[in-house]
Amino acid sequence: MSETNDEKNAEHSAEHSTENAPFAWGPATGVGSLPGGDAREAARTATGSFEGFPFLPELPARGPGADMIGRTIGMLVEMYAHVEPSGWRVSDRPGRDTRRARSWLGEDLDALEEFTQGYRGPLKVQAVGPWTLAAALELRGGEAALGDLGACRDLAGSLAEGLRDHLAELRKRVPGARVVLQLDEPSLTAVLRGHVRTASGYRTHRAVDRQVVESALREVSAVHDGPVVVHSCAPDVPFALLRRAGVAGVSFDFSLLTERDEDSIGEAVESGTILFAGVVPSADAPLSDPGGSVMGVRTLWRRLGLNPGTLAESVVITPTCGLAGASPAYARAALAHCARAARSLADNPE
């Protein structure tokens, strides 16, 4: 039987209302990488562990091209690279390493599509941000692109175009998803402080101006019409800079916070920034009870004088970093523990 006009209008209204509703974050998710090399098993784990906030897994154990940098290089538009003993280096044309990176990403997308049939809700995808990419990608002479601001601009532009294509592909494969883009920026603090070493190892690249850093992050983020999260598992995450750059959330290793971070975190929460709190160890370790894992988050909330009732809507629970170095059994246990810890936080915010 064909649909009536009333049914069609109701369906259209429901879709329109979902698109314009406030973003509903899931309570917990993964950071990105998982151990092993089986794309289907990884997708099964990432979707099964977080029914309300799955993510597209990365499997760096497969080798160059599946690593964080190589995977993102495979997304670039009109910019290519190949693997040297020292790392990824710019090429004139796409070679075997670039093709392999693209092939593995396609395999991962196929697996994700299989396990998200009919899914509606938030879905996270990760890519390396412009500054960590600039610190890692070598120009033809062997120095990092970070030492050439013109190259940094070109790299950010290529990344933005590549991410636009990648996100469009993801929406076609999982049409019910509300996509969250995570930019991985573990080198961001080192870039801001001038701590990234040159190829010789004897010097460091000059610190990049904060406004230039913000501008590139804003440019890359602007390709996505949904929320953008920046992840760093390094100390001294620049919360205030990221907030000014307009990101919706900041993902970090909660154990690395110090008192000097607290004012910035309080300001971020009060401005509506979502905290992706990494509280579950990313390497094999004994897991405490779920309530114990989020005790530090509750304590921080009290110290900042924030309303405990806002915890569940302001915090997403994650591992401290990617799980590529963990055993498969521990990785599955850690993801399940994140989900249980998030429930504990929602049920007992105080």
Side-chain angles (χ1 to χ4, degrees):
M1 187 192 306
S2 62
E3 284 185 307
T4 66
N5 285 337
D6 286 346
E7 287 170 332
K8 288 179 180 176
N9 290 337
E11 183 179 342
H12 176 76
S13 296
E15 288 176 359
H16 184 73
S17 128
T18 300
E19 288 168 4
N20 292 284
F23 196 87
W25 302 88
T29 191
V31 170
S33 65
L34 290 176
D38 186 329
R40 290 188 74 255
E41 181 58 31
R44 188 199 315 274
T45 298
T47 56
S49 301
F50 304 113
E51 294 180 358
F53 201 173
F55 65 100
L56 175 63
E58 301 163 359
L59 300 173
R62 292 180 296 195
D67 61 296
M68 184 173 78
I69 299 298
R71 185 182 184 90
T72 301
I73 285 171
M75 299 179 192
L76 298 178
V77 172
E78 296 183 355
M79 189 173 282
Y80 315 106
H82 65 278
V83 178
E84 292 279 346
S86 54
W88 286 87
R89 184 172 295 180
V90 167
S91 302
D92 291 326
R93 60 185 64 84
R96 179 184 60 186
D97 297 328
T98 300
R99 288 193 294 272
R100 185 166 49 210
R102 291 173 177 172
S103 173
W104 273 328
L105 179 57
E107 183 181 309
D108 294 338
L109 287 169
D110 288 344
L112 182 74
E113 183 178 3
E114 177 184 348
F115 288 99
T116 51
Q117 294 295 310
Y119 176 73
R120 301 187 69 83
L123 170 68
K124 186 166 71 67
V125 59
Q126 307 79 224
V128 176
W131 294 108
T132 295
L133 198 57
L137 179 60
E138 298 173 358
L139 300 178
R140 288 176 181 82
E143 285 292 352
L146 185 64
D148 181 335
L149 285 183
C152 290
R153 283 192 295 272
D154 291 344
L155 187 57
S158 175
L159 176 61
E161 287 302 309
L163 283 173
R164 182 179 283 113
D165 294 343
H166 178 53
L167 293 166
E169 174 70 13
L170 193 65
R171 290 190 195 97
K172 281 195 297 186
R173 289 171 176 266
V174 195
R178 302 189 75 182
V179 178
V180 175
L181 171 62
Q182 175 180 300
L183 297 176
D184 290 320
E185 284 283 15
S187 298
L188 183 58
T189 301
V191 167
L192 290 166
R193 294 183 176 176
H195 291 171
V196 177
R197 293 201 170 274
T198 59
S200 69
Y202 296 121
R203 295 185 300 108
T204 58
H205 290 282
R206 184 179 302 172
V208 180
D209 182 87
R210 299 179 83 84
Q211 290 187 336
V212 174
V213 170
E214 284 180 39
S215 176
L217 286 170
R218 198 174 290 113
E219 176 191 355
V220 173
S221 299
V223 304
H224 183 38
D225 58 6
V228 176
V229 174
V230 170
H231 167 74
S232 173
C233 48
D236 301 319
V237 175
F239 289 93
L241 181 151
L242 294 174
R243 186 163 55 88
R244 289 194 302 272
V247 303
V250 181
S251 171
F252 58 97
D253 180 344
F254 192 85
S255 70
L256 298 179
L257 291 183
T258 64
E259 285 187 19
R260 66 175 175 267
D261 295 314
E262 292 187 1
D263 287 343
S264 294
I265 290 175
E267 291 168 4
V269 172
E270 289 176 345
S271 71
T273 303
I274 303 300
L275 302 183
F276 283 61
V279 299
V280 177
S282 56
D284 291 41
L287 295 171
S288 69
D289 68 282
S293 294
V294 291
M295 183 60 70
V297 180
R298 294 190 185 99
T299 302
L300 175 64
W301 231 247
R302 283 197 299 270
R303 262 202 319 271
L304 294 176
L306 297 169
N307 177 6
T310 65
L311 261 173
E313 64 193 44
S314 300
V315 175
V316 176
I317 298 300
T318 72
T320 55
C321 204
L323 291 162
S327 66
Y330 177 81
R332 289 190 295 271
L335 297 183
H337 192 83
C338 286
R340 288 194 295 270
R343 282 197 296 273
S344 172
L345 195 63
D347 294 343
N348 303 293
E350 299 187 75

